[in-house]
Amino acid sequence: MEERYDPQKVELKWQRYWAEKNLFKTEADPSKKKFYCLEMFPYPSGKIHMGHVRNYAIGDVIARYKKMRGFNVIHPMGWDAFGMPAENAAIKEGVHPAKWTYENIAYMKTQLNRMGLSYDWEREVTTCSPEYYKWNQWFFLKMYEKGLAYRKSSFVNWCPSCTTVLANEQVIDDRCWRCDTLVVQKELEQWFLKITHYAEDLLRACDELKGWPEKVVLMQKNWIGKSEGLEADFRIDGTDESIRIFTTRADTLFGATFVCLAPTHTLSEKLVADKEALKKIKEQYGKEDEKIGLFTGHYAVNPVNDEKIPIYVANFVLMEYGTGAIMSVPAHDQRDFEFAKKYNLQIKVVITPEQQTNPPLPPFAKGGRGGITNSEIEAAFEDDGILIDSSSFSRLRSDVARIEIAKFLEKKRLGKRVINYKLRDWGISRQRYWGTPIPIIYCDRCGVVPVPGNDLPVILPEDVKFTGTGGSPLLESEKFLNVSCPKCKGKARRETDTMDTFVDSSWYFIAYCFGKGKINFKSEIRNPKSEIGYWMPVDQYIGGVEHAVLHLLYSRFFTKVIKDLGIMDFNEPFINLLTQGMVCKETLKCPEHGWLFPEDVKDDKCIKCGQIVERGRTEKMSKSKKNVIDPDHLINKYGSDTSRLFSLFAAPPERDLEWSDQGVDGAYRFLNRIWGIVFKFRNSEFRIRNIETENTIPQSALRNPLLRKTHQTIKRVTNDIEREYHFNTAIAALMELVNEISSFEPKTDDDWKTFRYSIEILLLLLSPFSPHIAEELWEAIGNKSSVSEQRWPVWDEKIAKEEEIELVVQVNGKVRSKLMIPATLSDDEVKQKALGEPKIKEIIGDKAIKKVFVVKGKLVNIVIGD
RNA sequence: GCCGGAGUGGCGGAAUUGGUAGACGCAAGGGACUUAAAAUCCCUCGUCCCCAAAGGGCGUGCCGGUUCGAGUCCGGCCUCCGGCACCA
């Protein structure tokens, strides 16, 4: 053994050893209890970043720990390999997306291996390979058969820069989530997956997600956005037609003073004569900055009171939600209020706050009831209250009135109670090349024809041109485009759109269950020996919170579809979810040169201009803010054991982690100290006398403080890992043990045995966090087999227990004294000890003792009078 | 605006059920070793009063409450961070 710790040498050695022994290969074994540990697979962008390091370090600790606890652990990794950056690289640099992607994968795989992660690489999946995406197409066809995949024309978010459609959730503040370009609306024929079919299931099952962070469950619930309301028919005056509206506020129906249609509503086209004006509204559709409307020239009849109210087309009414038409109640809805003000429409108050019914009705109705003019109201009153001016429903409370008015309209057959969801069907069409081809053929004679199952996969052709202008390169590929119709054998064309990459990641965790990446879902339908049945669901999923809605919701949706196909029999894919925090670092900003790298700053000054540099707040690592740490550099300098250890020690996993270069030094020092301890042991006389491992603790050493500390540490580390993976405190406990071992001077053979034993335990406990050094030192103290094949140690409560405790004595809640007492004393004895303490006697003096509280093993509080 | 979460030393963070606030680490200061430096080891380290010690006061964003006892529970506020946001 060398005196100096050389992480590069040690890590390479053990990475080779693990690979040669194929130590992390797993096979289904129904006799063993399984544990599925999964980290979100990366997009192969070129290099891993610190977010990955953290994510995968967390997952690896869990996988290694569970393995030592005796579970049959499946811990796979793969590549989310379709996506736009590959195509952008093709356009910019002329590299084919496939080449670019596979080269990135190769490099990133070496990076992951350098981290010492315990993956079973035989299960690796790559979503851009035909063997993988074939099943995207297969699922699509299955959904098509069941009516869960359909095509419709709709307005979509269009990013002019990426020349593609974006999902609603890919639009952030009206801008493209990738390139920040302002998104415009464009009408296209799109393929949709009917996730709304499962809206209620997905919502209800949220309550089963006990192992998920509450906030993520809440975000899912909000996204699904269930609301109960009423659909009501407003007849168009002078015609037989009517407008169906949706409202959650049936109690305000008497306050409706106009009706608004979405610009794309079929009736808008019918009712508006001025097509130019309508077109303008359409262009402004969904724009949040301004509400604009257009009077149709027609009137609607309010079904509750037969009042005639004007019909408008308004840009703020969404076609996608409810019925695409609303009744407007400006007195009780802020949006309607703003619209009414702008177009000078009537505002009628019908709800009044509960406490203020009598006598005045401010601030809404200064002039009493009726005849209220626009100028008298400053804002809509949106809360529930008591109904007024609502015929026989007046004086009812809002919650009651909603039901009563709904019943009334149902009886008249002019309305019905309905449930609405914010959740929309999932538009999966992308006008992009680097994705899964949608397996559909368009025939002039037969129309839309699905590709027959036996013809899968529809291969993405490689010989296409990337111009960067216009639409998808597939449009130019005659070979791909022209096909004979599967039904009539006539001339037909292929669909050229590809699928949203969220489809790929919606089932990859199931794909890992197939050994050696041989995915075959067909053989899994109603298969009692299914490997999916053994491995799924995922016991622990770990990833960034940025996927709290999209990826997780889509995966839940796919799980339900796959269950309905008879492939699996559980509802939810991920039992436990851990959303790790971001990796952040201090930022540096020069007033002239903007963000600076740390090496551009000397003595708090910018090396370019000499101006004082502002130390900005710590923010998520990003290239643009120049506060990133490159994992390659880090591992070259300190090794992966140190990198992993620090990222686990600096903060609990779910919280943001602030990167600190000195903190990394500290972690490195800690590993060096352990190295030093083992080196000391190796060179000890005891070791030389006992070449064969001596590993029994003699009876006479059972009360050794180091042995006690060792058992206390097993307990603490185990509990900290079990208690929501609090690795930071687990590592702190290991540091305490190392401090204790360092200061321990073995003299007798018993001492040496205890010394060796505590080192052995230390290495076992350390191994999930920093596995390479643990292996190396495990070997150095004389063990033959790999540390990762050992069982997790168990503590003995009797040994861990302290013989003496420090008793805190309080008087009136203030700490006045501390004394050591035997741990075995009864409450009464403890009380007497406390009262007998000279200092306490002095404080009490002749004051009356009112009460004495004894907290077992901890403290005594004596309450005295003045 | 709505819905969440969080505020603890110079810093990252501990405190598991209401029971010693500040574990562990970082930084800082002092010392040992060394020709010197690095590395390593030892000591100090919330704050105020006191020459110092002993001792004591204050202290977990702010104000109040419950309790023998509150970082932890309750009520009200402030600040910061996330998510959602014309969803009728």
Side-chain angles (χ1 to χ4, degrees):
Chain A
M1 181 191 182
E2 286 175 42
E3 186 169 3
R4 242 181 62 85
Y5 167 45
D6 178 355
Q8 304 307 329
K9 213 169 139 186
V10 171
E11 293 182 1
L12 202 66
K13 170 180 165 186
W14 291 100
Q15 281 155 17
R16 283 209 184 112
Y17 176 89
W18 296 329
E20 274 162 23
K21 292 245 168 166
N22 211 354
L23 216 61
F24 306 116
K25 184 192 161 108
T26 27
E27 276 172 282
D29 179 352
S31 70
K32 284 196 216 153
K33 202 163 177 343
K34 65 93 186 182
F35 188 91
Y36 191 164
C37 180
L38 179 70
E39 298 116 55
M40 290 181 183
F41 66 168
Y43 177 77
S45 55
K47 289 179 119 190
I48 61 168
H49 52 68
M50 289 311 295
H52 293 125
V53 171
R54 190 177 191 199
N55 190 172
Y56 302 152
I58 293 167
D60 200 49
V61 174
I62 296 171
R64 286 174 181 269
Y65 169 76
K66 290 289 179 183
K67 184 170 188 239
M68 290 176 82
R69 290 295 300 258
F71 288 92
N72 189 21
V73 173
I74 180 174
H75 188 210
M77 185 38 74
W79 309 97
D80 187 12
F82 270 139
M84 302 217 289
E87 206 164 332
N88 293 340
I91 293 161
K92 272 193 208 135
E93 293 151 43
V95 205
H96 194 279
K99 184 170 187 282
W100 186 86
T101 303
Y102 281 106
E103 281 175 5
N104 287 346
I105 288 173
Y107 184 70
M108 288 171 74
K109 196 167 170 179
T110 64
Q111 286 188 302
L112 295 186
N113 282 326
R114 281 192 73 196
M115 278 187 68
L117 303 168
S118 61
Y119 296 129
D120 178 1
W121 282 111
E122 288 184 12
R123 296 180 182 274
E124 178 178 7
V125 298
T126 306
T127 60
C128 65
S129 73
E131 304 87 71
Y132 186 91
Y133 68 68
K134 170 184 175 181
W135 298 97
N136 275 342
Q137 295 169 341
W138 189 75
F139 285 129
F140 178 89
L141 292 176
K142 288 285 172 200
M143 290 195 214
Y144 183 77
E145 279 171 29
K146 297 178 129 214
L148 290 172
Y150 66 95
R151 203 161 88 112
K152 77 172 177 194
S153 165
S154 72
F155 277 83
V156 292
N157 305 302
W158 177 260
C159 173
S161 162
C162 303
T163 57
T164 193
V165 164
L166 300 170
N168 285 326
E169 48 274 25
Q170 292 169 338
V171 179
I172 295 149
D173 293 334
D174 286 338
R175 286 171 186 279
C176 173
W177 70 325
R178 281 191 195 277
C179 68
D180 235 27
T181 307
L182 210 57
V183 169
V184 297
Q185 298 300 309
K186 190 173 171 175
E187 195 165 13
L188 281 175
E189 285 279 309
Q190 302 280 308
W191 283 97
F192 286 83
L193 299 184
K194 210 170 190 171
I195 190 170
T196 54
H197 180 257
Y198 290 94
E200 189 60 35
D201 280 354
L202 288 166
L203 181 68
R204 253 195 236 145
C206 278
D207 295 326
E208 289 168 33
L209 302 173
K210 299 267 194 292
W212 286 35
E214 269 177 66
K215 73 164 175 183
V216 175
V217 176
L218 202 75
M219 281 162 78
Q220 296 247 324
K221 281 185 180 172
N222 290 342
W223 193 264
I224 295 166
K226 180 178 180 171
S227 62
E228 291 174 45
L230 171 78
E231 279 183 11
D233 291 328
F234 282 57
R235 194 167 50 77
I236 302 168
D237 192 37
T239 74
D240 295 336
E241 284 190 273
S242 62
I243 298 169
R244 171 152 287 203
I245 62 97
F246 173 74
T247 180
T248 54
R249 291 299 301 272
D251 54 320
T252 64
L253 209 52
F254 286 86
T257 53
F258 53 101
V259 164
C260 287
L261 299 171
T264 49
H265 197 287
T266 46
L267 285 172
S268 294
E269 210 73 49
K270 247 186 198 170
L271 297 178
V272 176
D274 184 351
K275 301 297 175 208
E276 270 308 301
L278 182 63
K279 204 180 151 199
K280 273 200 183 134
I281 300 264
K282 276 187 184 171
E283 280 165 11
Q284 297 296 310
Y285 176 64
K287 283 258 172 72
E288 297 221 5
D289 39 350
E290 200 189 2
K291 290 182 177 50
I292 58 166
L294 175 67
F295 180 47
T296 58
H298 294 264
Y299 290 83
V301 180
N302 188 333
V304 287
N305 57 10
D306 292 333
E307 265 177 33
K308 282 181 196 150
I309 55 179
I311 303 169
Y312 276 74
V313 173
N315 72 326
F316 70 93
V317 178
L318 305 173
M319 192 57 221
E320 293 82 5
Y321 185 74
T323 57
I326 60 166
M327 66 165 189
S328 287
V329 186
H332 304 293
D333 183 291
Q334 190 58 26
R335 295 158 298 182
D336 297 343
F337 177 78
E338 284 164 26
F339 193 84
K341 279 266 185 188
K342 183 165 176 180
Y343 293 99
N344 209 25
L345 295 158
Q346 200 196 343
I347 298 173
K348 196 178 152 197
V349 173
V350 291
I351 306 286
T352 185
E354 208 157 342
Q355 300 91 334
Q356 302 183 355
T357 37
N358 110 78
L361 303 166
F364 320 98
K366 271 190 210 154
R369 303 170 174 197
I372 296 159
T373 60
N374 293 358
S375 57
E376 288 168 15
I377 301 180
E378 275 157 21
F381 174 73
E382 296 185 312
D383 295 348
D384 277 8
I386 304 290
L387 272 69
I388 55 170
D389 285 345
S390 299
S391 156
S392 61
F393 301 100
S394 295
R395 311 194 79 87
L396 288 180
R397 271 174 36 192
S398 289
D399 53 349
V400 178
R402 273 197 282 275
I403 298 164
E404 291 305 318
I405 291 176
K407 277 188 191 159
F408 171 76
L409 282 186
E410 278 178 337
K411 209 176 275 174
K412 285 179 65 178
R413 295 181 172 276
L414 288 171
K416 66 167 192 226
R417 275 174 280 183
V418 293
I419 289 165
N420 253 313
Y421 300 91
K422 280 193 219 171
L423 184 69
R424 317 271 168 80
D425 280 339
W426 175 13
I428 58 157
S429 296
R430 296 291 180 276
Q431 290 63 50
R432 282 270 151 180
Y433 164 75
W434 194 233
T436 305
I438 294 174
I440 288 290
I441 289 165
Y442 301 106
C443 170
D444 289 341
R445 229 177 304 166
C446 313
V448 176
V449 183
V451 172
N454 291 336
D455 292 353
L456 295 186
V458 176
I459 301 269
L460 191 63
E462 300 230 344
D463 53 338
V464 293
K465 285 197 185 72
F466 301 93
T467 56
T469 51
S472 162
L474 292 178
L475 287 163
E476 314 288 317
S477 173
E478 297 293 326
K479 231 166 55 188
F480 176 77
L481 216 50
N482 298 321
V483 67
S484 61
C485 170
K487 270 192 193 159
C488 71
K489 308 296 170 206
K491 263 183 140 184
R493 287 167 59 88
R494 280 195 194 281
E495 168 68 65
T496 56
D497 284 351
T498 54
M499 295 184 198
D500 181 2
T501 56
F502 275 113
V503 175
D504 311 344
S505 55
S506 293
W507 56 275
Y508 78 105
F509 43 91
I510 306 173
Y512 287 137
C513 298
F514 296 95
K516 304 209 165 152
K518 286 223 178 307
I519 306 167
N520 187 348
F521 282 96
K522 264 191 250 177
S523 66
E524 295 284 300
I525 297 174
R526 276 171 274 281
N527 172 4
K529 285 188 192 159
S530 148
E531 292 202 43
I532 296 172
Y534 176 72
W535 292 115
M536 286 296 290
V538 174
D539 294 279
Q540 183 64 58
Y541 197 25
I542 308 132
V545 73
E546 64 271 21
H547 293 113
V549 186
L550 317 175
H551 162 58
L552 291 171
L553 191 65
Y554 294 148
S555 296
R556 294 180 62 213
F557 162 58
F558 257 75
T559 298
K560 293 190 191 305
V561 172
I562 292 170
K563 182 191 174 193
D564 289 351
L565 288 171
I567 292 170
M568 324 183 279
D569 61 359
F570 55 88
N571 281 314
E572 288 293 329
F574 313 122
I575 298 174
N576 295 294
L577 174 71
L578 194 158
T579 49
Q580 101 254 11
M582 298 181 296
V583 182
C584 303
K585 195 169 180 288
E586 176 186 67
T587 51
L588 301 163
K589 205 171 190 181
C590 167
E592 193 180 330
H593 297 94
W595 303 110
L596 296 178
F597 291 112
E599 55 267 30
D600 292 337
V601 178
K602 224 174 191 171
D603 301 327
D604 286 338
K605 284 175 188 147
C606 172
I607 55 167
K608 289 179 208 157
C609 62
Q611 294 190 69
I612 296 283
V613 168
E614 184 196 336
R615 286 187 188 271
R617 39 172 227 145
T618 55
E619 294 196 65
K620 181 178 179 178
M621 284 187 181
S622 76
K623 277 187 197 135
S624 62
K625 296 203 173 101
K626 300 192 175 176
N627 64 341
V628 291
I629 296 281
D630 180 357
D632 279 347
H633 291 163
L634 192 71
I635 291 173
N636 285 339
K637 191 168 173 196
Y638 296 98
S640 105
D641 282 339
T642 297
S643 314
R644 293 169 53 134
L645 192 74
F646 174 73
S647 69
L648 295 163
F649 175 64
E654 70 280 0
R655 238 195 276 184
D656 285 353
L657 182 153
E658 193 183 321
W659 197 262
S660 146
D661 292 333
Q662 289 99 334
V664 180
D665 283 331
Y668 187 60
R669 258 197 302 269
F670 169 68
L671 293 182
N672 271 290
R673 292 184 71 194
I674 300 176
W675 187 275
I677 289 168
V678 172
F679 187 75
K680 174 178 161 185
F681 173 78
R682 284 273 301 192
N683 291 344
S684 68
E685 279 176 45
F686 172 80
R687 162 85 190 352
I688 292 155
R689 284 202 304 280
N690 301 272
I691 299 297
E692 291 309 311
T693 328
E694 171 72 56
N695 198 26
T696 47
I697 295 297
Q699 213 44 38
S700 53
L702 286 181
R703 301 179 71 177
N704 187 316
L706 178 58
L707 186 69
R708 184 185 306 133
K709 184 72 178 178
T710 304
H711 278 257
Q712 287 172 345
T713 306
I714 301 172
K715 183 178 179 178
R716 273 183 65 187
V717 172
T718 309
N719 289 343
D720 284 348
I721 295 176
E722 291 291 338
R723 178 173 57 101
E724 317 216 343
Y725 304 123
H726 279 201
F727 305 129
N728 56 331
T729 51
I731 293 167
L734 290 178
M735 287 172 170
E736 282 186 43
L737 178 61
V738 167
N739 290 342
E740 191 105 352
I741 297 174
S742 298
S743 55
F744 185 71
E745 288 294 340
K747 293 186 183 70
T748 64
D749 264 15
D750 279 3
D751 283 352
W752 276 106
K753 283 176 186 168
T754 307
F755 186 63
R756 186 191 181 284
Y757 175 78
S758 58
I759 291 171
E760 180 149 323
I761 296 295
L762 169 69
L763 296 175
L764 288 171
L765 298 178
L766 177 71
S767 67
F769 304 104
S770 296
H772 312 85
I773 191 171
E775 289 277 21
E776 180 71 17
L777 298 179
W778 180 257
E779 186 184 62
I781 59 169
N783 292 300
K784 294 281 180 292
S785 58
S786 162
V787 73
S788 45
E789 290 182 295
Q790 307 305 311
R791 278 303 155 96
W792 189 254
V794 182
W795 73 91
D796 182 334
E797 198 67 55
K798 283 200 288 290
I799 299 173
K801 206 169 175 84
E802 292 285 352
E803 287 166 13
E804 278 205 310
I805 55 150
E806 188 189 45
L807 181 75
V808 170
V809 186
Q810 296 183 330
V811 178
N812 285 351
K814 291 198 175 190
V815 178
R816 294 300 173 186
S817 182
K818 296 175 186 180
L819 55 148
M820 297 307 295
I821 58 162
T824 49
L825 293 189
S826 71
D827 279 9
D828 210 48
E829 287 168 312
V830 168
K831 187 171 155 185
Q832 292 317 318
K833 281 260 185 198
L835 290 168
E837 179 75 1
K839 205 183 148 209
I840 298 300
K841 271 185 171 163
E842 191 189 312
I843 292 168
I844 296 171
D846 52 3
K847 289 174 191 126
I849 297 172
K850 287 186 178 163
K851 206 165 166 123
V852 179
F853 293 85
V854 179
V855 180
K856 257 218 161 3
K858 278 191 176 149
L859 117 174
V860 172
N861 186 14
I862 301 159
V863 184
I864 59 171
D866 304 308

